Amino acid sequence: GQSLEQPSEVTAVEGAIVQINCTYQTSGFYGLSWYQQHDGGAPTFLSYNALDGLEETGRFSSFLSRSDSYGYLLLQELQMKDSASYFCAVLYNFNKFYFGSGTKLNVKP
Amino acid sequence: GAVVSQHPSWVICKSGTSVKIECRSLDFQATTMFWYRQFPKQSLMLMATSNEGSKATYEQGVEKDKFLINHASLTLSTLTVTSAHPEDSSFYICSAGASGRTETQYFGPGTRLLVL
């Protein structure tokens, strides 16, 4: 089976840096993705890591350690519009995704 | 960029009726699409994998006779909720990977179903 753990809620102030951790137990692991979802909206793709290391895309970075079954999403220079839910998702058995329960990020002025 | 549309965005129906939800990839072809269900403040749960030209693959616990999936073309998959009941009320979302890249999924805007 698949299991993912991520914090349920995180609060940070505008301009700050926040890290959202994700640990997983997965069979047939291919990679770890991160998605952002605003209230009432659909998830949007942020990043995908198949190999160990850090991937940077603008203000967002994602990290994966396959040996530790661990990854994180790093958001820098937080903006109010970053307030949303962030889901880590494992890609397993080549073409299936299992989503974590999501982390609600509250950005305060 | 890759765009996925869903129709309708909202549907309210009476208990016992069937509801069809369409998922279209607008600017790319998708041999595989995925259907998810999301309850309020919960995660996305994969319901089934829709395969063009063949039968859908359902996740454990999802009734294939209740949630009928048809992937008739490379740009269209449909989910029909048959004999809907109030417990089927949820947010249904489809996704597809462009250019065969499963690791990057593009999600439709979702369909909110309310069964009275």
Side-chain angles (χ1 to χ4, degrees):
Chain A
Q2 325 296 329
S3 72
L4 286 166
E5 283 193 22
Q6 57 180 125
S8 59
E9 193 164 354
V10 173
T11 300
V13 297
E14 242 183 327
I17 299 172
V18 71
Q19 179 174 311
I20 301 174
N21 298 322
C22 175
T23 58
Y24 60 87
Q25 288 188 336
T26 304
S27 55
F29 178 85
Y30 271 78
L32 186 71
S33 288
W34 288 91
Y35 287 84
Q36 178 193 62
Q37 186 180 33
H38 287 97
D39 282 347
T44 56
F45 173 80
L46 292 178
S47 68
Y48 174 76
N49 294 65
L51 303 175
D52 287 358
L54 189 69
E55 297 274 349
E56 297 181 60
T57 308
R59 294 187 297 114
F60 295 179
S61 303
S62 58
F63 172 83
L64 175 66
S65 168
R66 295 177 69 118
S67 59
D68 294 325
S69 298
Y70 163 75
Y72 65 73
L73 178 69
L74 189 73
L75 299 87
Q76 302 183 71
E77 300 173 20
L78 280 175
Q79 302 175 8
M80 296 297 292
K81 67 178 181 180
D82 297 330
S83 291
S85 291
Y86 292 83
F87 294 89
C88 58
V90 290
L91 175 63
Y92 68 100
N93 292 351
F94 176 66
N95 71 344
K96 289 190 176 184
F97 277 99
Y98 182 85
F99 280 76
S101 55
T103 299
K104 184 173 175 60
L105 173 63
N106 302 301
V107 180
K108 299 195 170 184
Chain B
V3 179
V4 175
S5 71
Q6 270 184 253
H7 178 80
S9 55
W10 258 105
V11 60
I12 302 173
C13 68
K14 293 182 179 179
S15 186
T17 60
S18 293
V19 175
K20 180 186 281 189
I21 302 170
E22 292 186 349
C23 176
R24 293 182 185 272
S25 55
L26 298 186
D27 50 0
F28 66 98
Q29 294 182 333
T31 55
T32 302
M33 291 183 173
F34 301 90
W35 286 96
Y36 294 84
R37 181 167 53 183
Q38 185 177 33
F39 292 106
K41 299 192 184 301
Q42 293 189 25
S43 187
L44 288 84
M45 299 300 296
L46 179 64
M47 299 175 65
T49 303
S50 173
N51 304 298
E52 189 268 336
S54 65
K55 292 183 179 180
T57 307
Y58 291 82
E59 295 302 300
Q60 194 171 10
V62 178
E63 299 176 58
K64 61 181 180 181
D65 294 330
K66 181 167 185 63
F67 298 99
L68 300 179
I69 291 172
N70 185 15
H71 196 148
S73 77
L74 287 171
T75 59
L76 173 64
S77 174
T78 60
L79 168 69
T80 301
V81 184
T82 62
S83 186
H85 291 285
E87 59 265 29
D88 298 323
S89 298
S90 188
F91 189 45
Y92 292 87
I93 319 174
C94 68
S95 75
S99 304
R101 296 189 59 187
T102 302
E103 66 271 18
T104 306
Q105 287 291 306
Y106 295 93
F107 284 82
T111 297
R112 294 201 179 278
L113 171 63
L114 178 60
V115 185
L116 303 176

